[in-house]
Amino acid sequence: MAKQILRINMSALKATYEPIPEKWVRWGGRGLTSAIVFDEVDPTCHPLGPNNKLVIAPGWVSGSPAAPSSGRTSFGGKSPLTGGIKEANSGGLSSQKIAKLGLAAIILEGMPKDGKWYEIFINKDGVQFEDAADLVGKGMYEVDKLMWAKYSNKPAVIGIGPVGEMKLSNAGVSVNDPENEPGRYAGRGGLGAVMGARGVKVMVVDDTGGPGVELANKELFTEGRKKLTAAIQAHDLTKKDGGLWTFGTNVLMNIINEAGGLPTRGFSSGQFEGAAKISGEAVVENIEARGGVGTKHHACHPGCIMQCSSIYPHEDGTAFVSVIEYETSWSLGANCGIDDIEYIAQATWECNDIGLDTIEAGNAIAIAMEGGYLEFGDKAGALKTFDDIRQGTPMGRIMGQGTEATAKALGVFRVPTVKGQAMPAYEPRAIKGIGVTYATTPMGADHTSGYTIAPEIAGVGGKVDPLDNTDKAGLSLTFQAATAFIDSTGYCLFIAFPILDIAEGWAGMAESVAGVTGIEMTGDDVISIGKEILKMERLFNEAAGFTSADDRLPEFMREEELPPHNVKWTMSNEDLDQVYAWVHEEA
Amino acid sequence: MNSIQVNTSLYGPLAQYAGGKYIAQKSVELKDNASIRDLMDYFGIPYDQKSYLFINAVLCDMPGLLASLDEPLKDGDRVGIFSLQHMWPYQYRDGIRMSETLTETLREHGTMHNVY
């Protein structure tokens, strides 16, 4: 059975199943969400208005048998935070279940004429719409539990918290994990507000009895996924007892801090004296000491063999929160001058519950501290902001709009954003390579937009000297293109680590995609396919009004020296403009 | 003979060499003109068990390399030593400050890798 597009029109409360148009048939995941947004969303529309759409797409290989770590769901639309195209992806249960229902994508469009909130249930028999009035105002921990109590077969629950209901620009889309907790977020860019603007509080997906995922070439798929699996299991970063397995993503806290690249107290320093206390090492020490349901190795979606997630327990061993990512611990901790891991666990829980992206939330709090509304290090004040946001107080709504809105309200000019989106946990003045990606990616400042890839594997071997600063533009483009491809596969982006060093894994990734889809491709095609995706995204942004002036880091980073290295951002505008010059140069 | 104080952080299983579990931070007294080799010998850390190593926020070594052993230390230096279980993807270290010795060592290896 060929895959279909499920179009849900909230204006008419009608669902239709459509064959995939030829122009979209070769896309999955991010490639598909961006293609649909590019084709169907007016770049000049208001993100919260009737002409924006939320597109949800599992990756190419999601739902296929034994594809390792392949449970990523892409969410796309025009971002209320950046005003440009957005793809944010999440782990959790949704990707494989949507794929196994035979769906390449779900397009959520229109707005309910009655102004009501809706709960949508999707299974093999079709789509049901229910009044969600009883769910309005509830946090995602409660919503997830209610949905599993109501529906059988442990379905995927895609929902928004109160922040999405208020249509604030830092609203994420929550997806439940295998334990039915809401720690998995398509967090960045405010797509939760786009979902809220469609009048949808929650979508429940049950794949029971669905057609499953057909393999176009089972032999090729099996060969490819075995190569990829072997690479993941062999590499020091992703194997059992490797870096991700042992300490999770927060393994980076102490390293980035030692390097002088940890943004601290509102990007005013590159080292935080309390970093060790909020690091992955500290988290694991507590997990081991407390026992109970706490675990260092947790799969955020079925079939993940890297298991970089964890469950952080209370002191009595009961579940507290999953998961304290590096970005989360940094944004809510070091960036706010707070070195208390229990506070960070609570703040993470609050973000998960009300539906905030933790990176943007921590940056907004740091701006509030910079602006004198709070003091750096004020844990109680920081936690109170979540109450304010949940209750929709005036200041809560401002902070729920994100970093730039908070800065404007408080008269702060040191605003660490690009295209309206706050920077993640890597100081571009100290780690210059990532600054190029922050500046130029169509997504706004995003650490996942240009991921690690081995130049020799990506087909640019011999052209890139890792110690040469002159070709960071070309390197960033290669990173961004490879990332756009991986974001389309359904594989977790962390497969980038092993396939950097193991060429067989790189080839296996492409072969597994070819095996599922029947699209002819090898590892040599990855960058060119990724560039096609980037081109759509870039052209959408240009049509929305973006220019090269939007591909810049904040002014203060050019003027203020960052300790301990006392460096400024020095990349020239001409070099930055080279990253996407090819869009209009290539036919 | 004069001595120097070196503020040392050991991360991951290496912390056990300084009485910690996964984090140990200690100020260590070493002889004047001591090197990283002397510091690791002080704790009894096998050289092949270290991965990333920093002196005063300058990256001096990588997993699988031994580029830092002869780096001299001075009074008040801050040293961070990581275990082989740590990870630092290329993108997140592209452009950071490195020692001259490590720079030359990486140049000999030619291409970028997560692990050497």
Side-chain angles (χ1 to χ4, degrees):
Chain A
M1 177 181 161
K3 284 186 179 179
Q4 295 178 302
I5 300 285
L6 171 58
R7 188 181 297 273
I8 299 175
N9 187 308
M10 295 304 298
S11 300
L13 296 180
K14 182 182 176 185
T16 54
Y17 291 84
E18 305 171 357
I20 306 174
E22 185 63 29
K23 61 184 176 182
W24 297 341
V25 77
R26 60 193 291 261
W27 296 118
R30 172 175 167 181
L32 185 55
T33 63
S34 289
I36 293 173
V37 172
F38 181 77
D39 286 334
E40 292 203 348
V41 174
D42 178 352
T44 65
C45 75
H46 194 291
L48 304 181
N51 295 314
N52 197 7
K53 305 185 182 192
L54 181 68
V55 184
I56 307 169
W60 279 310
V61 304
S62 291
S64 55
S69 304
S70 57
R72 304 296 295 188
T73 309
S74 289
F75 295 77
K78 178 170 176 175
S79 164
L81 189 72
T82 69
I85 197 166
K86 173 58 66 178
E87 186 267 358
N89 63 68
S90 167
L93 298 182
S94 56
S95 185
Q96 291 152 336
K97 291 184 182 297
I98 294 170
K100 288 179 179 177
L101 280 175
L103 301 174
I106 300 169
I107 302 174
L108 197 59
E109 60 187 22
M111 306 169 85
K113 292 173 182 170
D114 56 13
K116 290 183 177 177
W117 286 97
Y118 283 88
E119 168 189 324
I120 295 174
F121 177 68
I122 305 169
N123 70 356
K124 66 179 176 55
D125 298 321
V127 178
Q128 298 172 23
F129 300 87
E130 285 194 35
D131 190 323
D134 291 347
L135 298 177
V136 172
K138 294 189 185 306
M140 285 310 303
Y141 283 94
E142 185 177 2
V143 170
D144 282 352
K145 285 182 173 58
L146 288 169
M147 293 300 100
W148 269 28
K150 179 175 181 177
Y151 297 102
S152 55
N153 301 319
K154 298 183 177 181
V157 182
I158 302 167
I160 56 172
V163 183
E165 294 174 23
M166 287 183 270
K167 305 177 189 67
L168 304 181
S169 295
N170 187 25
V173 179
S174 168
V175 179
N176 58 337
D177 70 11
E179 287 72 39
N180 198 30
E181 299 285 321
R184 311 299 139 189
Y185 265 86
R188 307 231 68 190
L191 292 177
V194 179
M195 185 167 165
R198 305 311 113 203
V200 178
K201 170 72 175 177
V202 65
M203 300 174 70
V204 180
V205 182
D206 178 3
D207 65 325
T208 306
V213 174
E214 289 183 358
L215 302 179
N217 183 335
K218 185 176 180 181
E219 189 177 346
L220 181 60
F221 168 75
T222 302
E223 187 178 337
R225 65 119 178 133
K226 282 183 177 177
K227 288 180 184 174
L228 179 57
T229 301
I232 293 170
Q233 292 177 331
H235 197 272
D236 287 335
L237 302 191
T238 51
K239 67 184 182 184
K240 280 192 177 180
D241 297 325
L244 278 173
W245 171 271
T246 305
F247 296 118
T249 60
N250 205 3
V251 68
L252 288 173
M253 179 70 73
N254 288 315
I255 296 175
I256 302 294
N257 190 52
E258 287 290 350
L262 186 73
T264 299
R265 294 185 178 84
F267 286 75
S268 61
S269 173
Q271 283 189 323
F272 179 46
E273 67 281 4
K277 294 179 182 176
I278 59 173
S279 65
E281 291 91 328
V283 167
V284 168
E285 283 186 358
N286 285 349
I287 289 173
E288 290 184 355
R290 293 174 182 184
V293 302
T295 178
K296 300 181 287 182
H297 317 302
H298 175 241
C300 83
H301 63 267
C304 181
I305 61 175
M306 290 185 275
Q307 301 192 9
C308 69
S309 177
S310 62
I311 298 175
Y312 189 74
H314 288 288
E315 288 187 10
D316 64 2
T318 58
F320 195 162
V321 72
S322 177
V323 53
I324 302 174
E325 304 277 16
Y326 166 56
E327 306 291 342
T328 297
S329 196
W330 159 77
S331 67
L332 298 163
N335 197 39
C336 297
I338 298 173
D339 63 2
D340 183 339
I341 196 67
E342 302 307 311
Y343 145 80
I344 290 171
Q346 183 63 44
T348 306
W349 189 97
E350 299 287 347
C351 288
N352 289 349
D353 195 46
I354 63 178
L356 285 170
D357 171 46
T358 57
I359 295 173
E360 195 73 34
N363 271 290
I365 292 170
I367 288 290
M369 293 170 168
E370 172 105 13
Y373 182 72
L374 300 170
E375 297 290 327
F376 280 110
D378 180 0
K379 293 180 286 189
L383 285 175
K384 184 177 179 304
T385 65
F386 298 112
D387 295 336
D388 288 340
I389 296 171
R390 184 189 296 271
Q391 293 160 12
T393 67
M395 191 58 187
R397 284 177 179 267
I398 289 169
M399 294 187 68
Q401 289 288 5
T403 306
E404 283 205 348
T406 305
K408 285 181 179 176
L410 295 174
V412 174
F413 76 93
R414 298 180 70 262
V415 193
T417 60
V418 178
K419 300 181 179 68
Q421 180 167 288
M423 289 181 187
Y426 313 87
E427 237 295 352
R429 285 169 287 184
I431 308 172
K432 296 185 184 304
I434 201 164
V436 181
T437 300
Y438 282 172
T440 61
T441 168
M443 299 297 157
D446 185 345
H447 65 295
T448 67
S449 280
Y451 230 77
T452 305
I453 210 73
E456 65 272 30
I457 292 176
V460 293
K463 297 179 183 176
V464 177
D465 180 344
L467 308 176
D468 184 354
N469 285 328
T470 60
D471 193 27
K472 297 217 179 297
L475 191 57
S476 177
L477 173 60
T478 304
F479 288 163
Q480 292 185 46
T483 299
F485 182 94
I486 296 173
D487 283 344
S488 301
T489 62
Y491 288 124
C492 173
L493 193 50
F494 292 164
I495 70 165
F497 303 145
I499 66 179
L500 183 152
D501 286 325
I502 303 172
E504 283 280 289
W506 176 262
M509 170 185 67
E511 289 165 7
S512 66
V513 173
V516 173
T517 62
I519 302 169
E520 287 190 16
M521 71 170 76
T522 69
D524 293 340
D525 300 313
V526 168
I527 300 303
S528 61
I529 293 171
K531 284 176 70 176
E532 288 185 66
I533 298 166
L534 293 176
K535 186 171 185 175
M536 289 187 286
E537 295 170 348
R538 184 77 180 184
L539 291 176
F540 182 96
N541 279 1
E542 287 183 8
F546 285 73
T547 69
S548 59
D550 296 295
D551 294 337
R552 303 289 182 259
L553 295 192
E555 179 187 24
F556 80 91
M557 291 187 169
R558 287 192 176 278
E559 300 195 350
E560 290 182 16
E561 291 185 341
L562 179 80
H565 294 303
N566 299 322
V567 286
K568 298 178 182 178
W569 173 251
T570 55
M571 180 71 72
S572 73
N573 292 341
E574 290 73 23
D575 285 342
L576 290 174
D577 291 342
Q578 284 304 305
V579 178
Y580 278 92
W582 59 275
V583 168
H584 294 290
E585 292 171 354
E586 295 181 6
Chain B
M1 186 171 67
N2 292 331
S3 63
I4 60 173
Q5 291 288 327
V6 178
N7 299 310
T8 309
S9 296
L10 304 179
Y11 299 106
L14 295 186
Q16 293 166 26
Y17 290 97
K21 190 164 190 182
Y22 298 126
I23 305 166
Q25 295 180 308
K26 284 195 170 181
S27 179
V28 175
E29 184 173 342
L30 298 174
K31 67 181 187 301
D32 204 6
N33 298 318
S35 66
I36 288 294
R37 188 189 307 272
D38 297 317
L39 179 64
M40 293 185 69
D41 289 346
Y42 173 89
F43 287 111
I45 300 171
Y47 302 151
D48 62 359
Q49 293 300 301
K50 71 104 200 77
S51 62
Y52 310 103
L53 188 147
F54 297 87
I55 303 174
N56 300 326
V58 175
L59 180 64
C60 296
D61 222 330
M62 288 283 294
L65 302 179
L66 292 174
S68 64
L69 292 181
D70 295 324
E71 288 288 345
L73 296 170
K74 61 182 185 303
D75 190 47
D77 275 351
R78 168 182 175 144
V79 175
I81 310 176
F82 290 85
S83 76
L84 292 172
Q85 285 181 308
H86 283 83
M87 53 159 271
W88 192 12
Y90 175 78
Q91 182 200 11
Y92 301 150
R93 58 185 157 87
D94 177 22
I96 56 97
R97 190 160 290 182
M98 294 192 291
S99 69
E100 290 183 10
T101 305
L102 180 60
T103 301
E104 284 307 309
T105 304
L106 291 182
R107 200 178 296 284
E108 290 170 11
H109 281 77
T111 55
M112 297 178 289
H113 290 283
N114 275 326
V115 178
Y116 290 87

